[in-house]
Amino acid sequence: GLNFDDLISTKSQGGSTGRMAFGCGDLEVYIFNKLGINRDKQLPKVSRLKDLKVGDCLFLGNGPKWNKFDESNWTHIYGAHNVIIGEVYDDHAVIYEMGGRYPTQHTYKKNLYFKDTEEADDAEVKRATGYTSWGIRRWHSFKQS
C-alpha cells in the first residue's frame, strides 16, 4: 500500500523517494487512503463548476469534449491531469495541484471561477489549467463550513 506519511517525509517507499511530487493521480489516492475513505463507489457527478465540493477529484484532458457523466469516454490519448478541489467559495473553487506541475510551476493552488453557462465553465477550466475537457470523481461528500 501507499504510505502517505513516508512519502511526505521523503522516506523511500518501494525504492521511489519523492514519488508524490511526480504522480498527479497519486494525490487523490493518498488523500483518501490517509482519511480512510473507501473509493469503491463514486457519488453522482456534476457538470458545472458551481456544483464542485471540497474533495472532488477534477480529471482533465484534451481532445474531443467529454460527456462529464460518463467516464468511459474520458481519454488519456490526448494527455491527462488530475487535481483536487481544496477550497470552495461563493464565486470560485481552488484546485490543489500535484504531479510535475507542482515542482515546475512552484505553486499548488489555482482559482476556478464559476460562470453562467456550462460552455463558459469549460472555457474557465481551459484558462486555468490548459485542458479542454474535464469531469469529476466524487468519493465522499464532505460537510461544507
Side-chain angles (χ1 to χ4, degrees):
L2 298 169
N3 186 314
F4 183 82
D5 295 322
D6 286 349
L7 286 163
I8 63 172
S9 68
T10 69
K11 292 180 183 176
S12 179
Q13 176 78 15
S16 174
T17 302
R19 179 175 170 200
M20 185 175 179
F22 297 104
C24 67
D26 292 335
L27 177 61
E28 174 184 336
V29 175
Y30 298 149
I31 288 172
F32 289 95
N33 282 359
K34 180 68 176 174
L35 294 171
I37 294 172
N38 187 329
R39 293 184 320 114
D40 287 342
K41 183 178 180 193
Q42 291 185 44
L43 298 176
K45 297 184 179 308
V46 300
S47 64
R48 296 296 313 278
L49 294 179
K50 67 181 180 175
D51 297 322
L52 293 173
K53 290 185 172 188
V54 168
D56 284 350
C57 305
L58 188 66
F59 190 79
L60 304 156
N62 285 316
K65 184 175 178 178
W66 296 344
N67 174 339
K68 294 181 183 111
F69 296 101
D70 181 7
E71 253 182 81
S72 70
N73 79 343
W74 299 3
T75 180
H76 294 97
I77 295 171
Y78 302 99
H81 187 50
N82 188 64
V83 297
I84 300 291
I85 303 302
E87 305 168 38
V88 176
Y89 300 95
D90 290 338
D91 65 340
H92 73 285
V94 181
I95 60 174
Y96 287 10
E97 287 275 7
M98 195 46 66
R101 290 181 177 216
Y102 175 67
T104 58
Q105 295 179 1
H106 306 289
T107 181
Y108 69 95
K109 290 182 175 185
K110 290 182 182 172
N111 292 331
L112 279 177
Y113 293 95
F114 305 149
K115 302 297 181 180
D116 293 334
T117 67
E118 187 173 344
E119 291 75 23
D121 282 348
D122 293 347
E124 174 63 8
V125 169
K126 182 170 175 143
R127 179 206 62 80
T129 69
Y131 289 93
T132 57
S133 295
W134 63 277
I136 67 127
R137 295 177 176 132
R138 183 175 289 165
W139 305 105
H140 185 78
S141 187
F142 292 99
K143 291 183 181 177
Q144 307 291 311
S145 57

